[in-house]
C-alpha cells in the first residue's frame, strides 16, 4: 500500500523525538497507529474517599489539608487530602523539592492510584497527582497508557498519535484489508474502528475488556496480526512448493527388507508418520515436513525409512545432527541397520582427520556414499553432493534458518530442490506449531513403543545426598546403569567443567569398586565417543556427564538418573535428560536434586516435571511459563513474532486466522498481499526454510 511514509506530517518533530520513536520501532505513521496502549486508566469517574474500593486503581479528588516532609522511617513527602467523606494520605518516597510547594495546603488535587491501608491509615503511594480547580470536567474516555522509552512522555506520544488519527491520510492507512465475508464469518469490526477505539475508547467500553484485551477492538487487532503471520508463512510454503523436486516414489524393497530385520514392529503412530512422509517424497515438489514426537517415541526409525526410500530411488540422503555425540550415535545405529542392506554410508564431522574427510567428501561428490551423516560440517562449501534427494535435520531447533537453507540449496546439480524432513527433540505445543510452524507440514508420533515402564520422578533436596548415594549403590549392585548429570553453570563453562571433574573424583572415592565414566563438552570428539561407547557396552556402570548428553543419547540399560541442581534447568532440558532413561523394560527412576529455597519459577518448573511425563503437556506448560520466544530458539529469526496476540490465550482466533489465511490466498490474493505489507512491511521478505 505504501501510503505510510516516514512520519511526514510532523516536519516540526525534533530529532530527539524521532530518535526516541525509532527506539520504540516507530518509523511510519502506521507504526504510530499500531503503537497500542499497554493499559488504560479510568479518569472518567470520581470516587468518594470513603467509598473507593480497594485492590484497583481509582480516582479521588480532595483538598490538601496538611503537607510535611518526614524523615522516619525514611525521608518522604506526606500530604493529607480531604473530601466530603474522609481523609486520605498520599505519600511520595522520591520527590522533587518543588513538589513541596506544588502540593501546598489548600490546593485541590485529583489522585489516581490504588488505596491501601498503610502506616498512616488509608493511603496512596506515588499516585498520579494533578492540581485541578473545583468542578473541572472529567475525562470522557479511558486514558490510554502507551509503552514508552525514557524521555518520551505519555503526553507527547498521545499527542502524536492523536495528530495522526486526525490527519486525512489516516483513513487510507487504515483501509480495510479483509473481505466482507471474512469480517462477517468471524464477526470482526473494521480495522479503522478498532484502531480508533483502542486509542480513544468510548466511555461505555468495559475497562476490563480493554485491559484483558478481550474487547472486540483488540480481537480484531489480534486476528489481523495472527492472520499476517499465517499469510506470510503460507505464502512461503507455497513458494517453496513451486520448486521442482526429485520424485522419490515408494519402491518398498529396501524399506521392507529393513523392517523385516528389525527386532520389533513399528507403532501405529510411526507407520502413520512414515506414510505421510512417503507420500510427500513421491511428489514432484519438495517436502517440507516437521516430524515431532515425544522423547523416545522412535523418530530415528521413521527418518531411516525416509532415507531408504530416497536411496532406493537412486538418490542420496543426508542426516544432520547438532552435536558430535548425536551424529556419531546416528552413524553407529544406521550403519548397523543399513550395512546388511548393502548401503554405503559416509560420515562427516568438524573434528575429522584431513585424509578421512577428503575420502568422505570424494564419496559424497562421486555418489559412492548413499547415506551421509554428520554435524554442521555437512553444509560447508567443500561438500558437494552428487544427487541429494532428501535432507533430514535432527533437533531442528538447534540450527539456524540459514544453516537449514544452506543444506537445502546444496541439493542437486540441477534446478531440483531436495526434500526436507525436520525433526524436533521435544514436542511442540499445538498452538505453536499452528502459528510459528505454519510454513511446514507436521507429522506427529503420539504414542511410545510398547513395553516402556513409566519413569518415577523424585525430588530430593541437596542435603539428602546420602540417600541418593545409597540408591546408586543399590542400582549398580543389580547390574543397572546410572547417569549422574552435573549442574548447568551457564555463566562459566570452565566452572561447569571443574564441577564435573570434581564430582567424578568424589564419586570415584565413594565407589572405588565401580567403573565411572566422565563426559563433558571439552573432551575431544573421539574422547566423547569412546566414553559413550564404554557406557553403552556396559563397561562403565556410572556415567558422570554435563548436559552434553541432553539430546538423543540412547542407552536402554540405564535406568537411574540423578540430576544435580535441577532447579537451574529449563523444562524441556529436564524432559530431554529424563528421556535418556526409561528406554528399556526396567522400571526407571529420575532423581531431581535441588538447592532448597527455590525461586518461584523454579518451584513451578519442578512441580510440572514432577507431575507430568507427557512431553506434549510439559511443552504446553512451558509455553505458558516462558512465552514463545525462548521456545522457538533460532527459528525466531525467520518468523514474524507476535506483539499483541498470545497463541495459547487466543487459540480460537488463531484457528480462525489459520482458516482465513488459506481462503484469502486463493480467493483474495491482492488483499492478502496488502495485509501482509501492513503488518510485516519489509520483514515479509525474510527468508524461511
Ligand atoms: P527419539 O524419538 O527420541 O529420537 P529414538 O528414535 O532414539 O527416539 O528411539 C528410542 C528407542 O526406542 C530406540 O532404542 C529405538 O530403537 C526404540 N524403538 C523405536 N521404535 C520402536 C518400536 N516400534 N518398538 C520398540 N522399540 C522401538
Ligand atoms: Mg532422537
Amino acid at each position: 500500500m505504501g501510503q505510510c511514509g516516514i512520519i511526514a506530517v510532523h516536519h516540526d518533530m525534533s530529532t530527539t523525538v524521532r530518535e526516541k520513536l525509532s527506539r520504540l520501532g516507530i518509523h511510519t505513521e502506521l507504526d504510530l497507529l499500531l503503537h497500542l496502549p499497554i493499559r488504560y486508566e479510568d479518569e472518567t469517574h470520581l470516587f468518594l474517599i470513603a467509598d473507593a474500593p480497594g485492590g484497583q486503581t481509582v480516582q479521588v479528588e480532595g483538598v490538601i489539608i496538611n503537607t510535611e516532609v518526614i524523615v522516619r522511617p525514611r525521608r518522604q513527602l506526606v500530604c493529607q487530602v480531604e473530601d466530603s467523606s474522609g481523609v486520605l494520605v498520599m505519600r511520595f518516597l522520591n520527590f522533587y523539592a518543588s513538589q513541596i510547594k506544588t502540593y501546598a495546603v489548600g490546593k485541590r488535587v485529583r489522585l489516581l492510584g490504588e488505596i491501601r491501608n498503610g502506616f498512616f491509615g488509608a493511603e496512596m503511594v506515588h499516585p498520579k497527582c494533578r492540581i485541578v480547580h473545583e468542578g473541572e470536567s472529567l475525562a470522557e474516555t479511558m486514558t490510554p497508557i502507551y509503552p514508552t522509552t525514557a524521555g518520551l512522555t505519555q503526553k507527547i506520544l498521545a499527542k502524536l498519535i492523536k495528530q495522526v488519527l486526525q490527519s486525512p491520510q489516516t483513513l487510507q492507512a487504515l483501509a480495510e484489508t479483509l473481505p466482507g465475508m471474512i469480517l462477517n464469518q468471524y464477526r470482526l469490526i473494521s480495522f479503522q474502528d478498532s484502531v480508533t477505539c483502542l486509542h480513544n475508547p468510548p466511555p461505555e467500553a468495559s475497562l476490563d475488556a480493554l485491559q484483558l484485551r478481550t474487547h472486540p477492538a483488540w480481537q480484531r487487532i489480534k486476528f489481523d496480526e495472527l492472520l499476517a503471520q499465517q499469510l506470510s508463512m503460507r505464502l512461503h510454503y507455497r513458494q517453496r512448493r513451486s520448486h521442482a523436486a526429485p520424485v522419490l516414489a515408494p519402491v518398498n524393497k529396501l524399506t521392507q527388507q529393513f523392517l523385516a530385520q528389525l527386532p520389533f514392529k513399528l507403532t501405529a503412530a510411526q507407520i502413520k508418520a512414515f506414510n505421510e512422509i512417503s507420500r510427500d517424497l513421491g511428489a514432484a515438489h519438495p517436502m517440507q515436513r516437521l516430524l515431532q514426537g515425544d522423547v523416545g517415541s522412535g523418530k530415528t526409525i521413521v527418518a531411516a525409512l525416509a532415507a531408504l526410500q530416497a536411496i532406493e530411488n537412486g538418490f542420496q540422503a543426508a542426516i544432520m545432527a547438532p552435536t558430535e555425540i548425536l551424529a556419531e550415535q546416528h552413524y553407529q545405529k544406521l550403519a548397523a541397520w543399513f550395512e546388511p542392506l548393502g548401503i554405503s554410508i559416509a560420515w562427516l564431522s568438524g573434528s575429522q582427520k584431513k585424509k578421512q574427510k577428503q575420502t568422505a567428501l570424494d564419496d559424497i561428490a562421486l555418489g559412492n556414499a548413499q547415506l551421509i551423516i554428520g554435524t554442521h560440517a555437512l553444509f560447508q562449501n567443500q561438500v558437494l553432493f552428487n544427487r541429494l534427494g532428501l535432507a533430514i535435520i535432527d533437533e531442528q531447533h538447534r540450527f539456524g534458518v540459514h544453516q537449514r537453507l544452506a543444506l537445502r540449496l546444496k541439493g542437486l546439480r540441477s534446478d531440483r530442490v531436495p526434500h526436507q524432513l525436520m525433526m524436533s527433540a521435544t514436542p511442540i505445543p499445538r498452538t505453536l506449531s499452528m502459528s510459528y510452524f505454519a510454513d511446514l507440514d507436521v507429522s506427529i508420533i503420539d504414542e511410545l513403543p510398547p513395553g516402556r515402564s513409566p519413569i518415577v520422578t523424585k525430588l530430593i533436596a541437596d542435603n539428602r545426598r546420602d540417600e541418593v548415594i545409597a540408591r546408586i549403590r543399590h542400582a549398580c549392585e543389580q547390574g543397572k546403569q546410572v547417569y549422574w548429570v552435573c549442574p548447568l553453570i551457564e555463566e562459566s563453562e570452565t566452572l561447569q567443567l571443574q564441577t564435573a571433574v570434581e564430582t567424578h573424583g568424589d564419586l570415584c572415592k565413594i565407589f572405588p569398586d565401580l567403573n565411572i565414566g566422565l563426559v563433558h563438552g571439552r573432551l575431544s570428539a573421539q574422547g566423547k565417543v569412546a566414553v559413550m561407547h564404554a557406557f553403552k557396552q556396559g563397561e562403565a556402570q556410572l556415567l558422570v556427564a554435563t548436559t552434553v548428553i541432553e539430546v538423543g543419547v540412547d542407552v536402554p540399560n540405564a535406568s537411574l538418573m540423578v540430576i544435580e541442581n535441577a532447579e537451574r534447568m529449563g523444562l524441556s532440558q529436564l524432559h530431554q535428560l529424563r528421556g535418556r532413561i526409561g528406554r528399556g523394560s526396567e522400571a526407571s527412576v529420575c532423581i531431581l536434586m535441588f538447592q532448597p529455597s527455590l525461586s518461584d519459577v523454579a518451584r513451578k518448573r519442578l512441580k510440572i516435571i514432577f507431575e507430568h511425563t507427557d512431553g506434549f503437556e510439559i511443552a504446553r506448560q512451558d509455553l505458558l511459563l516462558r512465552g514463545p520466544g525462548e521456545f522457538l530458539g533460532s527459528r525466531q529469526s525467520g518468523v514474524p513474532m507476535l506483539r499483541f496476540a498470545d497463541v495459547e490465550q487466543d487459540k480460537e482466533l488463531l484457528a480462525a486466522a489459520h482458516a482465513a489465511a488459506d481462503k484469502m490466498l486463493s480467493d483474495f490474493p491482492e488483499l492478502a498481499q496488502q495485509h501482509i505489507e501492513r503488518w510485516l512491511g519489509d520483514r515479509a521478505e525474510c527468508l524461511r526454510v
Side-chain angles (χ1 to χ4, degrees):
M1 303 204 282
Q3 72 279 61
C4 280
I6 301 297
I7 311 182
V9 272
H10 311 296
H11 300 295
D12 54 332
M13 191 187 284
S14 72
T15 3
T16 25
V17 171
R18 229 176 256 270
E19 267 168 24
K20 289 195 171 121
L21 287 176
S22 85
R23 217 179 296 157
L24 293 171
I26 301 173
H27 309 286
T28 65
E29 290 170 4
L30 183 64
D31 291 341
L32 206 45
L33 292 174
L34 283 177
H35 192 70
L36 297 172
I38 26 168
R39 60 188 174 84
Y40 296 86
E41 283 175 352
D42 187 355
E43 291 171 303
T44 64
H45 296 288
L46 275 181
F47 284 94
L48 286 175
I49 289 172
D51 300 343
Q56 69 181 66
T57 302
V58 291
Q59 182 172 240
V60 297
E61 181 180 312
V63 175
I64 295 178
I65 53 168
N66 184 36
T67 291
E68 59 185 319
V69 175
I70 62 165
V71 289
R72 253 180 279 261
R74 57 179 280 199
R75 197 177 134 78
Q76 49 190 302
L77 176 62
V78 178
C79 309
Q80 283 174 302
V81 178
E82 183 185 51
D83 73 0
S84 61
S85 73
V87 177
L88 178 76
V89 169
M90 77 168 166
R91 228 150 43 90
F92 296 91
L93 298 168
N94 301 300
F95 58 95
Y96 297 109
S98 64
Q99 281 174 301
I100 304 171
K101 273 206 193 112
T102 312
Y103 300 140
V105 171
K107 292 281 176 66
R108 175 172 285 273
V109 285
R110 240 172 230 177
L111 311 181
L112 187 79
E114 208 175 295
I115 298 186
R116 301 211 195 109
N117 246 328
F119 186 67
F120 302 99
E123 64 171 20
M124 272 190 194
V125 181
H126 282 265
K128 184 171 160 188
C129 178
R130 217 154 48 86
I131 308 289
V132 290
H133 54 77
E134 196 166 358
E136 187 159 321
S137 60
L138 286 162
E140 281 176 13
T141 66
M142 236 64 84
T143 316
I145 305 295
Y146 296 100
T148 187
T149 178
L152 192 62
T153 61
Q154 289 295 332
K155 221 167 154 182
I156 298 180
L157 260 175
K159 193 175 126 214
L160 289 173
I161 291 169
K162 197 166 175 189
Q163 278 174 18
V164 177
L165 272 174
Q166 284 165 354
S167 96
Q169 290 147 7
T170 301
L171 273 185
Q172 209 190 342
L174 298 179
E176 190 51 73
T177 53
L178 297 189
M181 58 158 297
I182 287 180
L183 289 175
N184 289 340
Q185 186 176 353
Y186 300 108
R187 299 186 186 184
L188 296 165
I189 67 170
S190 82
F191 183 62
Q192 196 192 336
D193 287 349
S194 84
V195 171
T196 316
C197 166
L198 292 176
H199 288 298
N200 259 321
E204 70 275 11
S206 143
L207 184 63
D208 268 357
L210 286 170
Q211 306 281 37
L212 299 173
R213 303 195 168 184
T214 53
H215 189 279
W218 275 121
Q219 296 292 103
R220 169 66 206 258
I221 294 291
K222 294 195 278 191
F223 177 87
D224 274 25
E225 183 182 42
L226 289 163
L227 179 67
Q229 187 191 47
Q230 293 287 319
L231 285 172
S232 97
M233 297 188 80
R234 294 311 288 174
L235 210 56
H236 279 277
Y237 175 85
R238 289 184 179 207
Q239 272 164 11
R240 274 174 294 159
R241 218 174 149 85
S242 66
H243 291 287
V247 175
L248 309 173
V251 179
N252 285 330
K253 200 161 150 256
L254 287 176
T255 44
Q256 288 311 315
Q257 238 175 302
F258 169 67
L259 287 176
Q261 68 167 29
L262 271 184
F264 46 73
K265 285 221 290 274
L266 294 186
T267 62
Q270 283 172 315
I271 294 173
K272 180 165 174 281
F274 176 61
N275 284 340
E276 288 164 358
I277 294 166
S278 174
R279 200 178 331 116
D280 282 2
L281 290 174
H285 47 75
M287 167 170 78
Q288 28 196 340
R289 191 169 278 279
L290 176 69
L291 174 62
Q292 55 161 325
D294 207 345
V295 185
S297 60
K299 295 181 287 286
T300 320
I301 287 173
V302 175
L305 284 166
L308 283 178
Q309 186 164 324
I311 292 166
E312 60 187 359
N313 275 281
F315 281 82
Q316 292 172 307
I319 300 182
M320 181 164 77
T323 65
E324 296 246 350
I325 288 190
L326 192 52
E328 165 74 22
Q329 186 183 272
H330 279 327
Y331 177 66
Q332 300 288 352
K333 195 173 239 178
L334 286 151
W337 283 341
F338 283 11
E339 268 159 13
L341 305 175
I343 292 169
S344 64
I345 306 181
W347 157 251
L348 210 59
S349 86
S351 62
Q352 221 163 7
K353 293 221 177 66
K354 222 173 167 186
K355 207 170 142 213
Q356 280 176 319
K357 187 166 193 172
Q358 195 51 53
T359 315
L361 287 173
D362 292 345
D363 284 344
I364 296 168
L366 294 171
N368 297 338
Q370 293 165 290
L371 177 67
I372 300 96
I373 298 176
T375 57
H376 301 74
L378 278 189
F379 49 77
Q380 284 157 4
N381 284 337
Q382 74 271 46
V383 187
L384 288 173
F385 289 93
N386 186 277
R387 285 159 71 72
L388 183 63
L390 168 64
I392 299 171
I393 296 163
D394 199 6
E395 319 289 357
Q396 52 83 27
H397 67 288
R398 297 285 188 103
F399 292 100
V401 178
H402 298 290
Q403 295 171 323
R404 294 196 299 253
L405 180 69
L407 189 60
R408 219 164 64 87
L409 294 182
K410 281 208 157 289
L412 309 162
R413 296 185 186 161
S414 71
D415 55 358
R416 285 186 297 178
V417 175
H419 297 278
Q420 199 177 52
L421 177 66
M422 278 170 281
M423 303 206 281
S424 68
T426 32
I428 298 164
R430 212 182 94 77
T431 52
L432 266 199
S433 68
M434 254 177 93
S435 55
Y436 294 94
F437 294 83
D439 58 339
L440 297 173
D441 292 310
V442 178
S443 290
I444 298 177
I445 305 182
D446 55 4
E447 76 183 300
L448 293 179
R452 300 265 169 89
S453 45
I455 303 170
V456 175
T457 301
K458 294 186 182 298
L459 290 171
I460 297 190
D462 196 51
N463 50 22
R464 289 163 56 201
R465 223 176 166 83
D466 288 352
E467 283 172 45
V468 177
I469 299 291
R471 272 182 173 272
I472 294 177
R473 177 166 286 124
H474 184 70
C476 290
E477 276 165 11
Q478 294 188 320
K480 296 173 185 169
Q481 288 176 283
V482 182
Y483 291 104
W484 182 291
V485 183
C486 295
L488 173 71
I489 303 173
E490 269 174 355
E491 315 81 70
S492 158
E493 206 195 331
T494 319
L495 211 55
Q496 172 153 349
L497 178 70
Q498 188 188 324
T499 314
V501 173
E502 280 170 13
T503 308
H504 180 252
D506 292 348
L507 290 170
C508 283
K509 272 185 220 137
I510 299 174
F511 301 111
D513 47 325
L514 294 185
N515 198 354
I516 305 179
L518 171 63
V519 63
H520 54 70
R522 288 278 183 85
L523 286 186
S524 70
Q526 287 105 318
K528 277 182 216 160
V529 169
V531 176
M532 291 311 298
H533 187 72
F535 189 59
K536 194 153 190 162
Q537 295 305 110
E539 287 156 24
Q541 291 86 46
L542 180 56
L543 180 67
V544 176
T546 56
T547 47
V548 294
I549 60 153
E550 177 183 339
V551 286
V553 171
D554 186 32
V555 180
N557 190 47
S559 60
L560 176 60
M561 172 175 280
V562 178
I563 303 178
E564 265 195 282
N565 287 119
E567 78 278 3
R568 291 198 196 157
M569 293 183 194
L571 271 173
S572 81
Q573 192 166 35
L574 286 170
H575 181 60
Q576 275 293 319
L577 282 168
R578 186 173 60 178
R580 301 306 114 220
I581 55 171
R583 297 188 156 234
S585 49
E586 211 56 67
S588 293
V589 177
C590 179
I591 297 176
L592 304 177
M593 290 175 69
F594 62 91
Q595 297 283 351
S597 77
L598 292 170
S599 76
D600 207 33
V601 191
R603 185 185 305 279
K604 279 189 190 137
R605 278 201 302 258
L606 290 180
K607 184 166 183 291
I608 294 169
I609 199 82
F610 175 72
E611 286 175 353
H612 300 276
T613 50
D614 174 7
F616 281 93
E617 182 54 26
I618 292 172
R620 205 181 64 82
Q621 305 252 10
D622 199 14
L623 177 62
L624 290 175
L625 218 55
R626 290 194 301 169
E630 293 181 53
F631 218 101
L632 293 164
S634 55
R635 190 173 177 81
Q636 253 193 90
S637 55
V639 181
M641 296 300 287
L642 300 168
R643 289 157 64 196
F644 304 115
D646 175 309
V647 290
E648 272 293 318
Q649 272 165 30
D650 300 313
K651 264 190 204 126
E652 281 157 31
L653 284 175
L654 171 61
H658 188 75
D662 277 329
K663 183 86 194 147
M664 280 189 64
L665 284 177
S666 27
D667 299 356
F668 306 95
E670 273 173 25
L671 286 178
Q673 200 54 51
Q674 287 172 12
H675 191 85
I676 292 177
E677 257 168 50
R678 165 177 293 164
W679 280 91
L680 302 172
D682 42 3
R683 282 180 299 150
E685 294 312 309
C686 280
L687 264 179
R688 239 159 280 127
V689 272

